[in-house]
Amino acid sequence: MKKEAVLKGLFIAIEGGEGAGKTTQAQLLYHSLASRFPTILTREPGGTPLGERIRDLLLDPSLHPLNSRAEFFLFLAARAQHVEEVIKPALEKGIIVISDRFSLSSLAYQGFGRGLDISLLEMMDDFARQSLSPHLTLYIDIPPEEGRRRLSTLTPFEKESPEFHKRVREGYLKIASLYPDKVRVIDGRGSVEEVRERIEEVVEEFIRRWCDETSHNGCS
């Protein structure tokens, strides 16, 4: 039997509804951590050649509306490849991985938003990601109407109804309430710098604990 490799790195996922600014914050966090630790920034769907092709399909307006199940399976295929090709190898090398979206997006969007069975989604998602979970998930929370005002162009997901985005937000907040140690809610209102400071405060506390537990080379 093949021995499981020890995951020495740190896995941080950044989540948020449309217009929450998660991509900007993921980039800022990456630059902050990369100055001290080996760090990579990746995204879902994407992160691999297969994932980027799937991303193009999911964002192609000519293919929408997609069947909810087909949509979920496309996300799972991208995630399975992402974990196998990018995330696990990096963690095994002691690298910090920052992912712009991960599994919580599927539960919030396809589960709460589309109304698919949550327990079934969790089971299939667990299989796709090989039971690998982020050590820390940051959910940037803003009211959906504020997020929409920030957007200049709209993807098929951003064009969904206000009721859909309300359900997605409620899903994120419900999941965060169930796992407060692993999912931290970040107030996404205010300037980019204000949100960045809120995120760094949470991450720095988490990094200190990680350093104490692992004695990583980048820890001082």
Side-chain angles (χ1 to χ4, degrees):
M1 181 180 294
K2 182 181 178 181
K3 185 178 180 180
E4 281 291 317
V6 177
L7 301 181
K8 298 176 289 186
L10 182 65
F11 183 14
I12 301 173
I14 298 188
E15 297 278 358
E18 309 305 324
K22 59 177 181 48
T23 298
T24 296
Q25 294 300 333
Q27 293 169 345
L28 290 172
L29 181 60
Y30 164 74
H31 289 297
S32 173
L33 294 180
S35 65
R36 294 181 287 159
F37 305 96
T39 307
I40 63 169
L41 174 62
T42 187
R43 67 177 182 175
E44 285 207 355
T48 68
L50 174 64
E52 294 298 331
R53 291 283 294 274
I54 291 174
R55 184 184 186 90
D56 290 341
L57 290 173
L58 286 163
L59 295 179
D60 186 342
S62 70
L63 300 179
H64 285 259
L66 285 173
N67 174 274
S68 298
R69 293 170 180 80
E71 180 181 87
F72 177 65
F73 283 129
L74 285 170
F75 278 111
L76 281 194
R79 183 164 302 134
Q81 191 69 24
H82 194 205
V83 167
E84 181 69 19
E85 187 175 329
V86 176
I87 298 176
K88 278 189 71 176
L91 293 176
E92 289 167 3
K93 295 174 183 175
I95 294 171
I96 295 178
V97 177
I98 301 171
S99 183
D100 180 347
R101 293 200 186 280
F102 197 63
S103 290
L104 252 61
S105 288
S106 294
L107 299 181
Y109 278 76
Q110 283 74 52
F112 288 88
R114 303 286 190 217
L116 298 181
D117 183 88
I118 297 291
S119 60
L120 185 59
L121 298 190
E122 288 178 321
M123 181 181 68
M124 291 189 289
D125 180 66
D126 184 75
F127 174 73
R129 59 184 168 82
Q130 303 177 50
S131 299
L132 178 67
S133 297
H135 297 95
L136 174 66
T137 296
L138 304 167
Y139 164 59
I140 303 174
D141 179 56
I142 60 169
E145 57 272 18
E146 182 175 338
R148 190 177 181 89
R149 286 196 296 269
R150 295 179 178 182
L151 301 170
S152 55
T153 59
L154 300 179
T155 69
F157 290 97
E158 292 162 350
K159 290 179 181 178
E160 292 285 351
S161 69
E163 292 75 19
F164 172 83
H165 290 293
K166 181 180 178 182
R167 293 194 300 272
V168 169
R169 184 191 189 196
E170 290 171 348
Y172 272 123
L173 291 173
K174 182 173 182 179
I175 295 168
S177 70
L178 294 174
Y179 305 99
D181 292 336
K182 287 208 165 188
V183 183
R184 301 292 296 273
V185 178
I186 305 294
D187 186 352
R189 295 169 297 181
S191 68
V192 169
E193 181 62 21
E194 287 171 333
V195 177
R196 183 196 66 78
E197 289 177 357
R198 293 169 196 151
I199 287 175
E200 290 216 346
E201 182 178 353
V202 173
V203 172
E204 285 304 315
E205 175 190 350
F206 207 87
I207 289 284
R208 283 194 295 270
R209 296 208 310 265
W210 176 63
C211 283
D212 290 342
E213 294 169 359
T214 64
S215 300
H216 192 279
N217 289 338
C219 299
S220 57

